Amino acid sequence: IENVNQYPDCISGDDLGNQSCGNCPPIHWYINNHCVYAPDYQVLEEIIKVNEHSLIADAHPEDFYNPNWWDTFIDPTTGDEKSRLVEITLTFKGLHGEISLDILNLSELRILRLEGNSLIGSIPDEITNLQNLQILKLQENLLTGALPNEIGLLANLDSLWIYDNQLEGSLPQSITNLSSLGYLGLHENNFSGIIPSNIGDLSNLQILRLNLN
């Protein structure tokens, strides 16, 4: 992703600054009458760029701009408002390639839904960057490799759906640290080994599916 410092403090989504941007804070873009934090918005642009043969190939980020995907935060250092990306839902869009590491830099992300695509590769260890993540849905892709032990550091995770992939190896013991977890779908993979003995201690767990491994 390009360095946003090359851009003016506020630019228009149409013609890069030739229109008024209202009262947008620094390093924000004016998109569909909303101020959005430029580094986060560029992640959406990058997803389109690397999926030139998908169902979003001809899209512009404005085409799937959803105001519910954004929330306003106050920067504790400067006191400035920032409109940060808190949700990405791109389901059954024909996305391909590996999970973008750019997504994993969205520190305020709460919901990441990429199910029903053709994503390959492993679930990156950097998933732990998403400390505010509550819902992670990566099911019905072509993901391989092990479930990273770092998954157990996502303390706010409520739903983890990664079924119908090609994941393998043993389930990390750290998964039992997810005290907020209510829904866990790991079925239809190639997991093996022993189920963590204290998984029953997850008191909020309502659904657990491990079948077809």
Side-chain angles (χ1 to χ4, degrees), residues 173 176 178-179 196-205:
Q173 182 67 32
T176 62
L178 299 174
S179 58
S197 58
N198 53 343
I199 199 167
D201 294 338
L202 296 175
S203 58
N204 291 308
L205 197 61

Side-chain angles (χ1 to χ4, degrees), residues 60-190:
H60 186 277
E62 291 182 50
D63 296 335
F64 53 87
Y65 173 83
N66 185 332
N68 295 326
W69 288 10
W70 301 83
D71 201 357
T72 301
F73 298 84
I74 303 297
D75 188 314
T77 303
T78 65
D80 292 333
E81 287 188 354
K82 288 185 177 180
S83 182
R84 298 296 307 274
L85 195 59
V86 296
E87 176 178 348
I88 293 179
T89 296
L90 294 172
T91 61
F92 299 95
K93 297 294 186 184
L95 304 184
H96 51 81
E98 299 185 352
I99 297 173
S100 169
L101 294 182
D102 293 325
I103 292 177
L104 304 181
N105 289 323
L106 297 171
S107 59
E108 299 296 343
L109 202 65
R110 300 170 189 154
I111 299 172
L112 178 58
R113 295 188 56 188
L114 301 175
E115 69 263 32
N117 288 293
S118 298
L119 298 173
I120 63 172
S122 61
I123 299 174
D125 296 346
E126 292 86 352
I127 194 75
T128 56
N129 294 348
L130 305 180
Q131 283 297 304
N132 292 298
L133 199 63
Q134 299 169 11
I135 297 174
L136 177 60
K137 293 190 173 185
L138 302 174
Q139 69 267 27
E140 298 178 80
N141 278 288
L142 303 171
L143 298 173
T144 57
L147 182 61
N149 188 62
E150 288 79 4
I151 200 79
L153 298 175
L154 298 177
N156 294 303
L157 202 61
D158 169 77
S159 298
L160 176 60
W161 294 104
I162 54 174
Y163 65 85
D164 196 5
N165 279 286
Q166 300 168 22
L167 299 169
E168 59 187 5
S170 59
L171 299 181
Q173 182 67 32
S174 66
I175 206 168
T176 62
N177 295 332
L178 299 174
S179 58
S180 298
L181 199 63
Y183 306 92
L184 179 59
L186 305 177
H187 49 298
E188 298 182 63
N189 279 289
N190 298 312

Side-chain angles (χ1 to χ4, degrees), residues 10-12 15 17-23 30:
C10 181
I11 69 175
S12 162
D15 52 11
N18 294 327
Q19 294 183 1
S20 169
C21 288
N23 296 315
Y30 192 62

